[in-house]
């Protein structure tokens, strides 16, 4: 079953009670039992729910995985821990600001030590390993600068030191890459973004193949209770049905936008993996099927003018999230990475003239005209 077919049919047979071709929203907390000693499959919706099960089955199929427990947000998924007090985690320094907040604020409360490393160099990761290191946390393409890691080399480092690898695949989605096939142990998704695709749900997922990880991660979902609701599971199922065609449109539009911006005199630099000028373009060609819908842009202007650019467009709306059908412009310094210190942002290249574009699937001529008009005001 190919990707587009699996997105529509995996885990989604016609409803046996009515013949509905769409999985129903099972808006129930309880399920009747026929015997005091056993359940008949479902018993309580915090533990499992048929709508959520359908979403988990579909996502696992798309990622070529066995398991894909769904959580109430991407951060809820990330907070589900396999580490214990005294353990050490190595985290790529280039990544989502919310992950950094998790590492800085929640991990210390749990007695977990964190080191940030420039994971673009696998040797630096190897040099950061300690006797108590248990996990390597990766993200590629990175948020917001779209860097592409040498993931296969990093997996080899992790294997050498027996580290569990976690990989945020939100930007790429399973349509563009499947890191489990490279040897990654667990993938994280904010399904709020491209997987849902319509900016109308909040959710997260952990995706993996290993049976030995399932019981502890299932406990984190079912016992801790940060589950995706039946309604949002249903929205996710709807979103995944069109993921392939949406990602093709996102990639096509993003390439056109990146080329336009790279040639514009008021743009200092464009970072998009599909451009030959991107420092990791060849790596992206090898690892990804296409280059995604996210672009980092350094404008030739000051912070006040960046605000004018970001707030005066018609189709690119200033907003915090990404991955919806509509185009969005983000300002990492105060939004996705606002929790970082100024020194940390400067080290990462998140400057006051940086904007992040989530290129939607509107007509490309309208998007280019929108950007051109905003740049003319700088």
């Amino acid at each position: 079953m190919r990707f587009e077919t699996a997105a529509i049919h995996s885990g989604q047979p016609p409803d046996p009670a009515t013949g509905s071709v769409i999985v129903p929203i099972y808006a129930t907390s309880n399920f009747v039992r026929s015997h005091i000693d056993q359940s008949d499959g479902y018993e309580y919706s915090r533990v499992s729910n048929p709508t959520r099960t359908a979403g988990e089955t579909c996502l696992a199929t798309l990622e070529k995985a066995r398991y894909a427990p769904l959580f109430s947000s991407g951060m809820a998924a990330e907070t589900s821990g396999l580490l214990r007090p005294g353990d050490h985690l190595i985290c790529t320094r280039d990544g989502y600001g919310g992950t950094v907040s998790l590492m800085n604020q929640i991990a210390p409360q749990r007695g977990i030590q964190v080191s940030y490393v420039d994971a673009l160099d696998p040797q630096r990761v190897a040099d950061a390993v300690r006797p108590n290191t248990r996990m390597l946390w990766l993200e590629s393409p990175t948020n917001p600068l779209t860097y592409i890691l040498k993931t296969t080399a990093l997996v080899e480092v992790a294997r050498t030191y027996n580290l569990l690898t976690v990989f945020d695949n939100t930007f790429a989605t399973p349509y563009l890459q499947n890191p489990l096939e490279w040897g990654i142990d667990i993938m994280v998704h904010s399904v709020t973004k491209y997987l849902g695709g319509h900016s109308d749900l909040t959710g997260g997922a952990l995706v993996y193949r290993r049976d030995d990880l399932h019981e502890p991660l299932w406990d984190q979902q079912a016992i801790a209770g940060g589950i995706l609701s039946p309604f949002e599971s249903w929205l996710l199922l709807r979103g995944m049905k069109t993921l392939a065609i949406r990602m093709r449109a996102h990639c096509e539009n993003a390439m056109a936008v990146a080329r336009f911006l790279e040639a514009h005199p008021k743009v200092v630099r464009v970072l998009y993996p599909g451009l030959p000028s991107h420092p990791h373009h060849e790596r992206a060609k090898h690892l990804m099927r296409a280059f995604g819908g996210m672009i980092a842009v350094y404008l030739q202007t000051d912070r006040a003018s960046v605000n004018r650019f970001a707030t005066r467009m018609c189709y690119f709306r200033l907003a915090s999230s990404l991955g919806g059908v509509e185009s969005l412009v983000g300002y990492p310094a105060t939004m996705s990475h606002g929790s970082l210190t100024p020194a940390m942002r400067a080290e990462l290249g998140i400057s006051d003239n940086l904007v992040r574009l989530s290129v939607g699937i509107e007509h490309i001529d309208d998007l280019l005209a929108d950007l051109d008009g905003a740049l003319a005001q700088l």
Side-chain angles (χ1 to χ4, degrees):
M1 186 161 47
R2 290 172 174 79
F3 189 98
E4 292 84 350
T5 307
I8 294 170
H9 294 286
S10 179
Q12 303 166 74
D15 178 50
T18 65
S20 170
V21 298
I22 299 298
V23 173
I25 303 172
Y26 286 90
T28 181
S29 57
N30 267 328
F31 300 85
V32 170
R33 300 169 67 120
S34 61
H35 196 281
I36 61 171
D37 292 323
Q38 64 184 34
S39 66
D40 300 313
Y42 293 97
E43 53 188 76
Y44 187 56
S45 275
R46 172 171 52 78
V47 177
S48 60
N49 177 280
T51 314
R52 191 167 77 242
T53 296
E56 292 172 342
T57 301
C58 183
L59 177 55
T61 301
L62 298 183
E63 281 287 19
K64 303 179 182 180
R66 293 194 65 185
Y67 308 104
L70 293 170
F71 293 80
S72 56
S73 69
M75 293 308 300
E78 290 194 10
T79 307
S80 300
L82 293 172
L83 299 182
R84 298 179 178 181
D87 286 346
H88 174 243
L89 177 152
I90 298 173
C91 182
T92 179
R93 67 169 195 172
D94 300 295
Y96 173 48
T99 300
V100 175
S101 295
L102 172 66
M103 302 301 178
N104 288 346
Q105 298 176 40
I106 305 301
Q109 296 175 16
R110 297 182 175 183
I112 298 168
Q113 304 164 26
V114 179
S115 296
Y116 297 102
V117 176
D118 181 2
L120 290 168
D121 182 355
Q123 186 58 50
R124 294 192 181 188
V125 173
D127 292 343
V129 175
R130 305 174 185 174
N132 62 331
T133 305
R134 301 289 180 264
M135 181 179 288
L136 173 60
W137 193 289
L138 305 172
E139 176 182 321
S140 180
T142 61
N143 182 354
L145 298 180
T146 73
Y147 291 155
I148 308 297
L149 302 184
K150 299 177 181 177
T151 307
T152 53
L154 291 165
V155 167
E156 289 304 313
V157 171
R159 284 176 176 163
T160 299
Y161 294 98
N162 196 30
L163 307 182
L164 192 70
T165 49
V166 180
F167 187 101
D168 189 332
N169 200 33
T170 298
F171 266 25
T173 82
Y175 186 68
L176 300 183
Q177 63 184 21
N178 301 105
L180 293 181
E181 297 196 320
W182 308 335
I184 291 293
D185 295 305
I186 303 171
M187 282 191 306
V188 174
H189 280 287
S190 172
V191 305
T192 308
K193 312 304 193 298
Y194 286 108
L195 288 168
H198 294 79
S199 300
D200 55 9
L201 72 96
T202 303
L206 299 178
V207 185
Y208 49 95
R209 293 174 174 172
R210 288 175 48 177
D211 294 333
D212 63 311
L213 297 176
H214 186 54
E215 184 173 350
L217 290 176
W218 183 86
D219 285 348
Q220 293 285 338
Q221 181 201 41
I223 297 176
I227 56 170
L228 195 65
S229 74
F231 178 59
E232 290 184 307
S233 298
W234 184 85
L235 288 174
L236 175 61
L237 281 165
R238 181 207 59 182
M240 289 191 292
K241 290 178 190 295
T242 60
L243 179 62
I245 58 174
R246 285 189 288 106
M247 289 310 297
R248 288 196 288 266
H250 284 299
C251 293
E252 181 179 350
N253 276 358
M255 181 66 80
V257 166
R259 287 170 174 162
F260 168 79
L261 292 173
E262 190 171 48
H264 200 284
K266 294 188 178 179
V267 173
V268 177
R269 189 185 187 195
V270 178
L271 285 170
Y272 179 65
L275 292 176
S277 59
H278 191 285
H280 313 134
H281 175 63
E282 292 301 319
R283 193 178 305 153
K285 284 169 58 178
H286 175 69
L287 294 173
M288 303 176 69
R289 300 181 189 100
F291 304 107
M294 302 303 301
I295 306 175
V297 186
Y298 290 92
L299 300 173
Q300 193 169 3
T301 189
D302 57 16
R303 184 181 178 121
S305 294
V306 169
N307 184 60
R308 290 199 301 273
F309 169 84
T311 56
R312 294 186 180 181
M313 286 186 284
C314 181
Y315 304 119
F316 281 88
R317 306 290 176 82
L318 179 63
S320 296
S321 195
L322 60 99
V325 293
E326 68 287 331
S327 292
L328 300 174
V329 54
Y331 189 62
T334 61
M335 295 166 67
S336 62
H337 292 69
S339 63
L340 277 61
T341 66
M344 291 175 68
R345 289 196 296 270
E347 182 181 2
L348 296 175
I350 300 173
S351 56
D352 285 348
N353 66 330
L354 172 69
V355 295
R356 185 192 70 186
L357 300 181
S358 174
V359 182
I361 64 173
E362 302 94 337
H363 195 285
I364 188 58
D365 290 349
D366 293 326
L367 296 182
L368 295 182
D370 203 25
L371 290 165
D372 194 38
L375 289 168
Q377 300 179 54
L378 298 183

